[in-house]
Amino acid sequence: MSARTAIPALLSLAVGAALVASVPAVASGPAGERTCASGELDVSVGEPDAGAGQLYLPLHFTNTGDRPCTLRGFPGVSVLDGARRQIGEPADRDGGAPGAVSLAPGRSATATLRTTNGPLGGACLPEGAFLKVYPPASTDAFLLKTPFKVCSDRFTVSATG
């Protein structure tokens, strides 16, 4: 798939990206802050954005619970093929020390995936069919049916904010 066809394909498929599975977890944060448990979060994929040879894909973490909770740190993200086998390495952390984001019920925080927009300085891995996403401070993952292709050995995720 060329860079010209990859972006429209990602756009159309990301819009229809669906949450496939989630497993609840319980966690606590620093200084008495209540960390968002995976059972009270919804994780979804936003619209991809391309620019300056880069491709950005937002991941939205929404508090579906009935009380405020806090996210602090980086999510864990891997690309999986159709058989749910990992393709390449998980996303590296991008950026400095993260702050805490307090989420009232119904509110969201976003982390951003980044890769290159095609083989710029390196080859692309095979396109994945799923993203496996661990919310910050959680060992329970969400499986999102979303195509994503890592190119040029560049795959990072920002802290939630």
Side-chain angles (χ1 to χ4, degrees):
M1 182 178 291
S2 73
R4 287 187 179 143
T5 59
I7 293 171
L10 281 173
L11 283 171
S12 64
L13 291 171
V15 171
L19 177 65
V20 175
S22 68
V23 181
V26 177
S28 60
E33 297 173 347
R34 197 176 71 72
T35 299
C36 299
S38 62
E40 61 190 349
L41 288 174
D42 180 49
V43 181
S44 61
V45 178
E47 293 291 327
D49 185 26
Q54 304 296 306
L55 179 66
Y56 302 93
L57 185 67
L59 299 174
H60 303 293
F61 298 84
T62 303
N63 179 357
T64 60
D66 57 3
R67 57 188 178 154
C69 62
T70 301
L71 287 176
R72 175 189 301 274
F74 295 85
V77 183
S78 297
V79 178
L80 307 180
D81 66 14
R84 298 184 178 149
R85 293 177 301 236
Q86 186 170 315
I87 299 171
E89 296 296 318
D92 290 323
R93 294 176 174 181
D94 187 17
V101 179
S102 182
L103 297 178
R107 303 295 290 186
S108 298
T110 300
T112 303
L113 294 179
R114 181 170 119 183
T115 189
T116 62
N117 189 8
L120 306 171
C124 294
L125 296 175
E127 183 172 74
F130 298 93
L131 291 174
K132 187 173 187 179
V133 179
Y134 292 89
S138 179
T139 58
D140 298 319
F142 289 79
L143 192 61
L144 304 174
K145 185 167 179 54
T146 299
F148 193 81
K149 185 186 323 186
V150 173
C151 292
S152 305
D153 290 325
R154 176 78 171 173
F155 184 36
T156 63
V157 64
S158 70
T160 53

